[in-house]
Amino acid sequence: MTPALLVLEDGRVFRGAAYGAEGETFGEMVFNTGMTGYQETLTDPSYARQIVAMTSPHIGNTGINGEDPESRRIQVAGYVVREPARVASNWRATGSLGSALRDQSVVGIAISGTRALTRHLRDRGAMRAGIFSGADAVALGEDALVERVRQSPSMEGADLARDVSTKEPYVVQAEGERRFTVAAVDLGIKSMTPHRMSERGCEVHVLPATSTTEEILALAPDGVFFSNGPGDPAAAGYAVDALKGVLDAGTPFFGICFGNQIFGRALDLGTYKLRFGHRGINQPVQDRTTGKVDVSAHNHGFAVKAPTDGSFDTPYGPGEVSHVNLNDGCVEGLRLLERPAFSVQYHPEAAAGPHDASGLFDRFCELMEGSR
């Protein structure tokens, strides 16, 4: 097996074997706690410029297929697993995960210490990292590789949404009768998201991340959607400006994940980087209005700063925190009290599950219906 090293910016080094493509890669080191959905994770644009470690020990058992990807390609900067499957076994499989990683030049590593890596990140927080494989890379020495990692870009201040967004608009047709027209701003949208709206009779016009208010409203949409995506929301001022115009117009709005953070900034709230983020499919979130708790899918490294004890003033009237994370109290949702606009930090589309929160798409449709 080809030797490989996973090198963290604080000097911690894990030795293992190359998995997928060989070479070197850099990114923010994070972990995902999901036991299913590795293909959805790999193809989620929100993972751009991140090296993802899977805490589930066996990865690749069911291979890959053409139905589950959330985008057209693998998006992660690097991949860390414990025990890659030797054989892919599933009736839907069209190939092996290792082959897909090699074909798309995604550098990975198999290490025995994924639990130790996860505990280290839980103590120290997410940080920059690099994967280096091959005898020549390993021969450079750990000190030299640590220094190379420290010179790589940080996630803070990174404007990545425009990098992963569609370059040209496209349309996802409604299933059955068209009930609504939705303008969806692609900040790193997952393929399941417009599908969930299409199922509810929405004709979804997916627009580039840098679309202006004028370009969005030129579609005369019944509602506007801002998607998930990678990077620092503080670096996406173009999206904030566009959303402010949408809110000024009173058009119903729904945001997910990065869209929630952009909504927060449009309401003059701040955002901040979480210590290690939330990534997985087992996060408990409470709707503060109903008291209902959803187990939900997460993938984010930033969050919104907002008061959780009552309403607060915004340029668009009073707003409030609608959802909170029961693990750490993090803001998981926002809504305006006098305008049809709300957002959540998690993923109700959740292709790999859970599907507890899928009703949020129905709520968006109710807002659009009520605003006609």
Side-chain angles (χ1 to χ4, degrees):
M1 295 186 292
T2 302
L5 296 176
L6 170 64
V7 180
L8 306 184
E9 71 171 289
D10 67 353
R12 185 75 182 266
V13 176
F14 295 84
R15 293 182 174 272
Y19 177 53
E22 296 180 17
E24 65 178 36
T25 189
F26 300 90
E28 182 181 49
M29 187 71 247
V30 301
F31 59 87
N32 181 293
T33 60
M35 295 183 68
T36 62
Y38 61 79
Q39 191 171 354
E40 289 88 343
T41 294
L42 283 166
T43 55
D44 180 353
S46 294
Y47 278 117
R49 204 195 288 176
Q50 292 182 320
I51 298 174
V52 180
M54 304 299 292
T55 61
S56 183
H58 298 284
I59 297 296
N61 303 49
T62 57
I64 58 144
N65 61 68
E67 300 175 30
D68 293 344
E70 292 285 13
S71 65
R72 295 180 179 179
R73 61 183 176 87
I74 295 175
Q75 302 281 351
V76 302
Y79 203 43
V80 182
V81 301
R82 179 178 176 181
E83 296 180 28
R86 297 179 182 178
V87 178
S89 178
N90 186 272
W91 66 275
R92 297 166 66 229
T94 57
S96 71
L97 177 56
S99 295
L101 293 170
R102 288 191 295 273
D103 291 344
Q104 298 186 45
S105 301
V106 179
V107 178
I109 184 173
I111 63 174
S112 60
T114 51
R115 181 180 294 273
L117 171 63
T118 302
R119 289 176 64 88
H120 186 76
L121 296 175
R122 289 283 295 185
D123 290 339
R124 306 291 180 88
M127 64 184 74
R128 289 171 293 183
I131 300 174
F132 307 89
S133 56
D136 291 341
V138 174
L140 290 175
E142 295 181 4
D143 291 343
L145 295 179
V146 169
E147 186 57 34
R148 292 192 65 191
V149 169
R150 290 172 179 170
Q151 293 175 2
S152 63
S154 169
M155 189 60 70
E156 290 186 84
D159 177 15
L160 301 180
R162 67 174 84 207
D163 292 342
V164 300
S165 176
T166 182
K167 305 306 178 187
E168 299 292 336
Y170 63 92
V171 179
V172 178
Q173 299 292 342
E175 296 184 10
E177 179 186 359
R178 186 183 70 179
R179 299 172 58 209
F180 307 105
T181 298
V182 174
V185 177
D186 176 8
L187 303 170
I189 199 167
K190 299 198 286 185
S191 61
M192 185 56 69
T193 305
H195 176 68
R196 292 293 187 221
M197 290 187 274
S198 172
E199 291 176 328
R200 291 161 170 80
C202 298
E203 180 181 275
V204 185
H205 294 251
V206 183
L207 305 176
T210 54
S211 297
T212 64
T213 300
E214 292 72 25
E215 291 169 331
I216 295 169
L217 297 182
L219 296 170
D222 297 299
V224 174
F225 173 80
F226 273 41
S227 80
N228 62 290
D232 187 342
Y238 50 89
V240 175
D241 292 340
L243 180 52
K244 285 181 176 180
V246 170
L247 298 175
D248 283 333
T251 305
F253 167 76
F254 177 31
I256 285 177
C257 199
F258 198 77
N260 173 73
Q261 297 158 19
I262 296 300
F263 185 39
R265 298 195 72 87
L267 301 183
D268 290 344
L269 300 170
T271 52
Y272 65 100
K273 194 173 190 310
L274 293 165
R275 191 176 181 197
F276 36 77
H278 300 148
R279 297 175 180 88
I281 55 177
N282 55 356
Q283 294 280 334
V285 171
Q286 184 174 47
D287 184 329
R288 303 182 74 207
T289 302
T290 65
K292 181 175 179 287
V293 177
D294 290 333
V295 175
S296 57
H298 281 56
N299 176 16
H300 59 271
F302 292 82
V304 176
K305 294 179 183 178
T308 57
D309 53 349
S311 62
F312 50 85
D313 293 330
T314 80
Y316 310 98
E320 69 177 9
V321 171
S322 57
H323 297 74
V324 294
N325 188 305
L326 294 183
N327 283 339
D328 60 7
C330 177
V331 172
E332 292 280 0
L334 301 167
R335 70 170 183 145
L336 291 176
L337 302 182
E338 297 177 355
R339 298 201 185 197
F342 74 104
S343 63
V344 292
Q345 183 60 61
Y346 51 101
H347 292 270
E349 80 288 346
H355 300 142
D356 297 21
S358 60
L360 290 171
F361 290 105
D362 297 318
R363 180 181 171 190
F364 183 38
C365 291
E366 290 169 3
L367 280 187
M368 291 188 286
E369 184 68 43
S371 295
R372 282 179 166 173

